[in-house]
Amino acid sequence: MQQNENSYRVEAVDRALILLTLLAERGRLSVTEAGRELGVAPSTAHRLLATLCHRDFAVRGDDRVYRPGPQSFPAGRRAVPPLPDRMRPYLESLYGEVNETVHLMVRTGTEVLFLDGIEGVRSLRVGLRIGVRMPAYCTSGGKAMLADLDPAVVDALHSGGLPPSPGERIRDLVALRRALETVRRDGFGFNQDESEPGVTAIGASVGLVDGHHVALAVALPSVRAGSGGVGALSAGLLRTCRNARREVGSTDRTRRNGHQPTKADHD
């Protein structure tokens, strides 16, 4: 995470505020992730997180992962479970259906942030990307969330052009519009070697959950995606996202932005 240069900045306070922002954004944070984001040693990150725990701005679970504490919520506001915790049952359900690596992601502008995941156990599998940011248009879940939006909104988000991506399958807004039409038709986004060579993924939008634009995705080695592999996985993905959208999601904002119902909305 970039830090703004300011001669009055107190480094320790600045780092603590960054951690509070990350906890609010992701809902959970490990010492390793905190150290990586701050660019400090794990021992330094651990001390900062322990200080937040001392003042009840964070809590440390039995799994050694930190979550927002009671002081992170304004007075009188009911503490809503962090987004990864709310979505975890659906992530586990999806993993049980597909037996491949699965991810929870949110859209932040033109990017997606991988919030949580469960890694597959096959000898050849896709690793977890928790904490990683990527351009939305080159990920399956990102495409699914962009397809929720009115095309004019998508154009406005990318008014400066598309950011570079590893695969470079989609090179301009015209190609992106065509790709999103396919997503709206099929109900899910597809990514083959676009975000990472040798990786294929499918993702579907859940809509809004606690104000976050959310998607679930399945990732597998591209060599295993042929012979109807994607088609077999999409049914479980769409079913899980449909359940999550019905139980915890909302599409109010995307519909105000001109979202047209996809196949997944009707199935």
Side-chain angles (χ1 to χ4, degrees), residues 103-107 112-115 139 141-142 145 213-215 217:
H103 281 105
L104 164 70
M105 63 180 74
V106 295
R107 182 180 63 83
V112 293
L113 169 65
F114 291 79
L115 277 184
T139 69
M145 289 185 283
H213 201 174
V214 176

Side-chain angles (χ1 to χ4, degrees), residues 5 9 44 85 138 143 148 173 176 180 186 199 203 206 218 238 253:
E5 293 299 326
R9 180 170 63 89
T44 300
D85 289 349
C138 66
K143 290 178 185 177
D148 278 345
L173 275 174
L176 178 58
L180 296 184
D186 296 340
V199 173
V206 177
V218 181
L238 292 175
R253 182 187 300 171

